Amino acid sequence: MVQSPTINRVMADERAASFTKRSIKTKAKDAGLRLALSMVDLTTLEGKDSPEKVRSLCAKARRPMPDDERVLGERLPHVAAVCVYPAMVPVAAEALEGSGIHVASVATGFPSGQYPLDVRLRDAERAIADGADEIDMVINRGAFLSGRYDAVGEEIASVADVCAAGGPGGRGVHLKVILETGELETYDNVRRASDIAIEHIRDGDFIKTSTGKVSPAATMGVTLVMLEAIRDAWLGSGKRIGMKPAGGIRTAKQSLHYLAMVKETLGDAWLTPELFRFGASSLVDDLLRQIVKRKTGRYAARYDFGVA
Amino acid sequence: MTTFQEQDATHTNGTSAVGPGRSPALEFASAWDYAPTPESAKVEIADRYGHYINGAFVESISGDVFETINPATVETLSVVARGTAEDVDAAVKAARQAQPRWAALPAKERGKYLFRIARRLQERAREFAVLETMDNGKPIKETRDVDIPLAAAHFFYHAGWADKLAYAFGGANPEPVGVCGQIIPWNFPLLMAAWKLAPALACGNTCVLKPAETTPLTALRLAEVFDEIGLPPGVVNIVTGDGEAGAALVEHPGVDKIAFTGSTEVGKKIAAATAGTGKKLTLELGGKSPNIIFEDASIDQAVEGVIAGIYFNQGHVCCAGSRLFVQESIADAVVARIENRLKSLRLGDPLDKNTDIGAINSAQQLGTITRYLDSARDEGLTRHEPNGCALPDKGYWCRPCFFTGVQPSHTIAREEIFGPVLAVQTFRTPEEAITRANNTPYGLAAGVWTDKGSKIFEIAGRLKAGVVWLNCYNRFDPASPFGGYKESGFGREGGLQGLRGYVRL
């Protein structure tokens, strides 16, 4: 089993807070806002989600700001992925066809994971068959909190195998392992769960903080602990694991602080949608507001951007 | 780089998961660099400053002046009066004259003055932060987030004590000492002034403050605050100058108490000069503080503490954690992390909000640091300097570094460098760690890093240091006493204990 270091919460939080003191202005801000936009997993995970809502989301994912060329004189990047429930995967896959935007599906009994393993695996298989090329799985927190770490690892490995088998037509599928850090509570647990997940997933897969259904969701401190686990895996074995904080990141300023933390913890190599994502929905509009403000000097109103 | 475990041929379990040189690296060279963000507040600096005596700015009686420069640019910021014995005499007389009336004020009225000073410091915080950074060379993020807020906090804290002194000493009735001569260093100019002035004033004393020669400007701006809030003339007097003014203050027969923060060398001279004179004395001197990391520590957070401990304020900190003791089993992992962390530090323009490491305060101090770096090289030690920031063309700069292969007898493990230089040593048992940590003439501070509670208290109790930080470092609060053992001085500053230096019981 993995031996994980303990985490001193006070000092970890202090370090995480230090990134909020980084001053990101002018050119760095321009580049950071666009980078953050390209890293968003635009998400809707509600019981009332409809095909029409998912289509709106996909349209926004492709062109976050359709009049960007007129207003800004440039074409903004599309987001990294659209993240939906399995039932909405066919709709998203069709709407995103040919766009290069990934179709991410939560699966494996999201958000609780309180289902038998065979049902959870079938959930992931079905989402992949329907067109998902990213699976956001949840770990078995019951097993983790009762100390059955091996069981947690084996379940992650099973889902990783499903993803490794790929989708129709040999389409590659990446896995994101949601730790649901709000339920793990301690940073020691977060670090241990990160290490277990990293051990069982492949190069290019992700670890992710939260489902968004539990409070607290992503925090700077939790994300730092997970980034350090990723760093140690990289330095130790050369495995390159991505990171996705999800839930609670709503402002452009927050996203820039996260980017500063990634940059100063993992270095420049991780400043790419291949290795860092934001699980968010309202973040996109604030990024657009800031981008427009930088260009025109004026803040856009909420209604200036299409809802998704 | 040779790893610690490779150095020991008898150690067979020498594979380290994160040993440097055998794994993928981290690159901080930056596809996405932070753009310059210079602090935009402009601060008015007069061409010339006199002493602040009896509520007025006055020229030196001798007419002598000296320049104070910005160490990051070597530009002259202002010209300041050079104090002599005559100026000191005038200041002491003013303080003496003001003292009885100040002490006779109702205690809560004295408290109100201190509250006003604290509030005004907060209101003018940005101005003070910029001025401090220009005169000292330290990064604006430190003056903004540490120096100035803590200085205000000291005035707030001691304002609260002013009318509660009768309850502070178990029924004893505290009387003021009288006139206090206070000599402060250049590493935290305004904060040290606050440490000295706030308790003295709360207890009914009057003061003659001698700021450091290279950093007089924020103390003089504090004098403007005294004017603004109507502090009675003579209660605080400020004489700028060099060691001559300091010596005159120490030797002046009208001074009842000397409080000094600075080098052990000068502290010893002051102790000799005041011996037998009846003057009260508190000394806060040098240090060579150990940071001890056990293998069961939270390593990343311990490394943060090490970085903060030695590279904060360019290592110009009396309690800097300049000796690092790492348990051998995790030495490679710790050193690899320090290397990576040093790479990510940003050295440069102190007024840039993203600067982590600013300028060395003076050419003289840079010379001292350089001599220690040379001595370490001559003693055959390995210097690690992973930070790749370009040093600015002008000004005084030292790239943060650390040494491995250090033994307790090496010069850089024994003497205070007062620069961004860390000496890394290893140990195998707690007993060895304690012996090595206490093997120093100093005893100001120490840090202990372990996740095991019982070990924390056992080790902390056996370290001969005035402050022992457990799983943290460089934590300051006005309520917490600070001071040293052995050649780090005597007396405490801050907290209830700090009041003792400013009262007669």
Side-chain angles (χ1 to χ4, degrees), chain B residues 136-204:
Chain B
N136 174 281
K138 64 170 71 189
I140 186 77
K141 80 169 189 187
E142 292 181 9
T143 53
R144 180 194 65 196
D145 296 344
V146 181
D147 291 66
I148 311 305
L150 262 181
H154 270 267
F155 281 106
F156 273 120
Y157 174 80
H158 287 97
W161 268 122
D163 60 351
K164 300 168 193 73
L165 294 170
Y167 311 100
F169 302 103
N173 185 30
E175 295 286 337
V177 175
V179 174
C180 301
Q182 303 175 316
I183 302 166
I184 57 172
W186 46 261
N187 58 342
F188 295 93
L190 183 73
L191 180 58
M192 289 300 106
W195 277 32
K196 296 280 182 283
L197 295 173
L201 298 180
C203 294

Side-chain angles (χ1 to χ4, degrees), chain B residues 229-455:
Chain B
I229 61 112
L231 189 72
V235 170
V236 176
N237 307 275
I238 298 173
V239 178
T240 49
D242 52 24
E244 184 187 343
L249 186 56
V250 168
E251 286 157 15
H252 197 288
V255 170
D256 301 303
K257 184 232 162 74
I258 294 288
F260 172 75
T261 296
S263 72
T264 295
E265 185 192 350
V266 175
K268 285 176 177 175
K269 287 182 191 159
I270 292 174
T274 53
T277 62
K279 287 176 189 165
K280 277 175 83 95
L281 178 64
T282 47
L283 297 174
E284 202 265 88
L285 309 176
K288 194 74 193 174
S289 300
N291 238 326
I292 305 171
I293 307 182
F294 288 95
E295 64 184 0
D296 52 13
S298 303
I299 295 184
D300 278 306
Q301 290 75 47
V303 166
E304 281 309 312
V306 170
I307 297 289
I310 185 62
Y311 302 117
F312 176 69
N313 199 22
Q314 297 76 245
H316 302 328
V317 185
C318 48
C319 56
S322 52
R323 292 183 298 152
L324 172 62
F325 297 96
V326 190
Q327 193 154 3
E328 196 181 275
S329 54
I330 56 162
D332 290 339
V334 168
V335 165
R337 281 170 170 78
I338 294 175
E339 286 242 11
N340 276 327
R341 205 47 191 87
L342 274 180
K343 279 186 201 165
S344 72
L345 289 178
R346 302 170 64 85
L347 178 150
D349 178 8
L351 281 171
D352 189 303
K353 291 171 201 159
N354 291 323
T355 292
D356 300 313
I357 306 278
I360 300 299
N361 179 251
S362 64
Q364 189 191 358
Q365 186 56 30
L366 183 58
T368 303
I369 297 167
T370 307
R371 275 196 300 283
Y372 279 110
L373 295 177
D374 291 346
S375 89
R377 182 196 58 211
D378 295 344
E379 290 177 88
L381 299 179
T382 312
R383 176 165 158 194
H384 304 264
E385 215 175 43
N387 186 278
C389 290
L391 298 185
D393 298 332
K394 285 187 294 182
Y396 311 126
W397 305 92
C398 178
R399 212 176 259 119
C401 66
F402 66 95
F403 285 88
T404 52
V406 181
Q407 296 302 329
S409 57
H410 285 131
T411 310
I412 61 159
R414 307 208 61 77
E415 297 182 17
E416 182 175 46
I417 301 171
F418 228 59
V421 183
L422 175 68
V424 183
Q425 304 175 57
T426 62
F427 66 91
R428 287 185 171 180
T429 67
E431 205 57 44
E432 193 182 1
I434 293 166
T435 306
R436 289 191 164 208
N438 283 337
N439 180 224
T440 168
Y442 296 110
L444 196 51
V448 180
W449 301 85
T450 165
D451 208 37
K452 190 169 177 180
S454 57
K455 196 188 278 173

